[in-house]
Every structure is written in structure tokens, then in C-alpha cells.
Amino acid sequence: MTVQIDSLAIGTDTADTAAADVDQLFDEVSTLDATILDAIERRTRMARTLAAATSDATASDHAADVYGDLGNDGHAFSRMLSRLAQMTR
């Protein structure tokens, strides 16, 4: 099943805003953002280590199809992760 990231958007007409605790939702989104950022940083370190250990600059690209179910956005996300792993700091 392919799910386009922008198709996950919920319009204001379908969201139950009356029942939503907005502050709690903001807190949950912030927590998820921190978790995602941490995972991306860990993945970047591992991909760099893998590339160095295998002398393969494209080692981080082996999981490129993992995000294919997200459609074009998934492919863009995969490319972004690959660029992060290839950048030197």
C-alpha cells in the first residue's frame, strides 16, 4: 500500500477540534519531533560508520526502498537521509 505523505493531512473540516486538547497535541508533536531528530542523527552516525568500514560511500543508500511506500515524498526523504550521511561536519 502506497501512502503519500501529503495525503495524511487532516483538514479542519474533518478534525474534531472541539474534543482535542491542543496543548497536549502540541506536546505530543514536540515529543515525536525530538524522537525523529534523535533517530535521524543516530542513523546518520551509523551510515557514516558503515560507509567508512566498507569503503562504500553509498552504504547509506541500501535502505532507499524502505520509504518507497510513502511515494515521491518517501524517495525525497531517502535522498535527504543519504545526503546527511555523506556530509562532513
Side-chain angles (χ1 to χ4, degrees):
M1 175 174 131
T2 299
V3 177
Q4 195 71 19
I5 288 177
D6 47 359
S7 70
L8 299 177
I10 297 174
T12 56
D13 57 331
T14 60
D16 186 6
T17 57
D21 180 352
V22 175
D23 290 334
Q24 181 182 0
L25 292 174
F26 276 122
D27 289 345
E28 288 183 36
V29 168
S30 293
T31 299
L32 286 170
D33 286 344
T35 301
I36 292 166
L37 182 57
D38 180 57
I40 289 172
E41 289 172 349
R42 284 192 339 255
R43 184 196 185 281
T44 298
R45 285 192 305 271
M46 288 181 207
R48 288 176 181 173
T49 301
L50 180 61
T54 62
S55 300
D56 184 2
T58 62
S60 64
D61 294 333
H62 288 295
D65 290 334
V66 172
Y67 305 104
D69 286 348
L70 299 175
N72 289 335
D73 293 320
H75 297 299
F77 183 64
S78 178
R79 287 190 305 272
M80 184 258 329
L81 291 172
S82 179
R83 282 193 308 272
L84 284 171
Q86 294 172 6
M87 291 173 34
T88 57
R89 294 183 185 223

